[in-house]
Amino acid sequence: MRSRRGVLKAAVVGAGAVAAAGVGPGAARADERRCAAPVFVLVHGAGGNSYGWAPVLAELGLRGHKAIAVDLPGHGRGAYFPVSYQSPQDPEALRSEPSPLGKVTLDDFAEHVVGVVRRASRLGAVVLVGQSMGGVTLNAVANRVPELISHLVYASAYCATTGHASAARLMATPEASTSALFRMARVETPPELGVNRANWRSGDPAFFAAAKEALAADRPDAEVRALLATLEPDESAAIATADCRGIPEKWGRVPRTFLRFTWDRAIPLALQDLMIREADAATPGNRFRVRSLAAPHVGPRDAAVWADELELAAGACR
């Protein structure tokens, strides 16, 4: 049996009903917005930051699109790197050093992204994209401002609906039991710190092998080391356990695509399919548009593949 704490930590990876019929002016404006020129808003996963989207941003820009990559609160420029995480590391202190991310909540994430979406919606039709734990934020934002979002794209991302309330509960299902995340050692922090912590700078070969399997098993070692160097050690433990169910009358109004990564060993294919089924059951009149890609958890290696898929999602209403 996996411990509850182990499931919660594994849910954090360092690393998305038709509305009641109505055709009034508000509905017409929403339809017009959905078919306008797209603005892509990209949301990273746990331990990530906007830098991870850099190749995709560049490709979308070269194709003439507007695109924004978000740094969630406590990430990117606002990231916290424990003193004990630096070189030389202090493994004992790393287990207990406090982090400001311990106070960050899903409401903080949602409020920040809603602000970005509001501004982006003045430029065009917002296509909101989330990878991995970024799906939790997608649900929370779509529950708040569905009228401002043209399309939701879940890139092998957590999408909780009526069946399971949080990413942690999804990771406790039988469909998640083969996840390589359970084999990746985490820094054992006390619950009162409020963070899940990963030592991406670990020199342990076993940790590197497990991280590579979970995130990017198809990449050469040098590429995986470069990937790990961009990840941040801390994530708020509250994100994985937050109730992030999509509300059918709100989130469920927005057209959505699921990018199904068939090589993903962090969020296994069986779990991706479970989330798709549960979401479709919650909103049978607005089902996921599913695209299967031969990619690991971090997604396709070629930014052009990402851009192709996002363009398809943006064009779904045409």
Side-chain angles (χ1 to χ4, degrees):
M1 289 288 291
R2 287 169 282 155
S3 70
R4 174 175 172 79
R5 185 155 171 77
V7 167
L8 300 189
K9 286 194 170 187
V12 179
V13 181
V18 177
V23 290
R29 283 195 296 272
D31 288 343
E32 289 171 5
R33 183 182 292 113
R34 292 195 200 289
C35 289
V39 181
F40 298 97
V41 177
L42 313 177
V43 181
H44 62 78
N49 48 58
S50 60
Y51 177 77
W53 288 111
V56 182
L57 284 177
E59 181 64 25
L60 289 171
L62 289 170
R63 296 184 183 199
H65 296 299
K66 298 182 183 74
I68 303 143
V70 175
D71 277 317
L72 293 170
H75 295 273
R77 283 186 167 183
Y80 179 75
F81 290 83
V83 173
S84 50
Y85 183 70
Q86 311 306 319
S87 181
Q89 290 192 332
D90 184 340
E92 186 62 33
L94 190 59
R95 286 193 284 271
S96 58
E97 185 174 335
S99 170
L101 271 82
K103 297 180 179 179
V104 174
T105 68
L106 180 57
D107 282 343
D108 296 323
F109 279 15
E111 182 179 356
H112 179 72
V113 177
V114 164
V116 175
V117 167
R118 286 193 190 281
R119 295 183 66 186
S121 67
R122 300 169 193 159
L123 304 174
V126 173
V127 178
L128 186 59
V129 184
Q131 184 178 15
S132 188
M133 194 65 80
V136 170
T137 300
L138 260 61
N139 277 21
V141 173
N143 282 341
R144 295 185 181 204
V145 289
E147 72 281 1
L148 297 182
I149 303 168
S150 166
H151 206 94
L152 292 165
V153 179
Y154 293 77
S156 193
Y158 292 101
C159 182
T161 47
T162 53
H164 301 88
S166 66
R169 290 191 179 182
L170 284 164
M171 287 299 291
T173 62
E175 287 82 359
S177 62
T178 62
S179 173
L181 294 174
F182 295 121
R183 297 189 287 279
M184 196 169 74
R186 304 277 172 166
V187 178
E188 291 298 327
T189 55
E192 57 268 24
L193 245 60
V195 297
N196 292 309
R197 181 167 286 165
N199 186 2
W200 304 113
R201 296 176 181 172
S202 170
D204 182 0
F207 174 84
F208 178 82
K212 176 177 178 176
E213 180 186 5
L215 303 179
D218 66 327
R219 314 290 165 84
D221 286 359
E223 224 173 281
V224 176
R225 282 192 291 271
L227 166 66
L228 299 185
T230 70
L231 299 180
E232 299 167 7
D234 288 354
E235 187 57 81
S236 168
I239 306 306
T241 58
D243 187 334
C244 61
R245 286 173 287 189
I247 300 170
E249 296 78 17
K250 297 180 180 181
W251 157 88
R253 292 161 46 189
V254 185
R256 60 182 186 259
T257 291
F258 198 100
L259 299 183
R260 187 174 173 268
F261 294 167
T262 60
W263 296 348
D264 195 336
R265 299 177 187 173
I267 300 181
L269 202 54
L271 180 55
Q272 295 177 57
D273 289 341
L274 173 67
M275 292 188 287
I276 293 166
R277 288 197 305 273
E278 290 187 343
D280 288 351
T283 58
N286 182 28
R287 299 168 64 86
F288 263 119
R289 174 181 170 277
V290 180
R291 299 278 297 172
S292 295
L293 304 176
H297 187 66
V298 295
R301 191 176 187 183
D302 186 351
V305 175
W306 276 106
D308 288 346
E309 294 300 328
L310 298 184
E311 286 180 332
L312 284 171
C317 74
R318 293 184 172 86

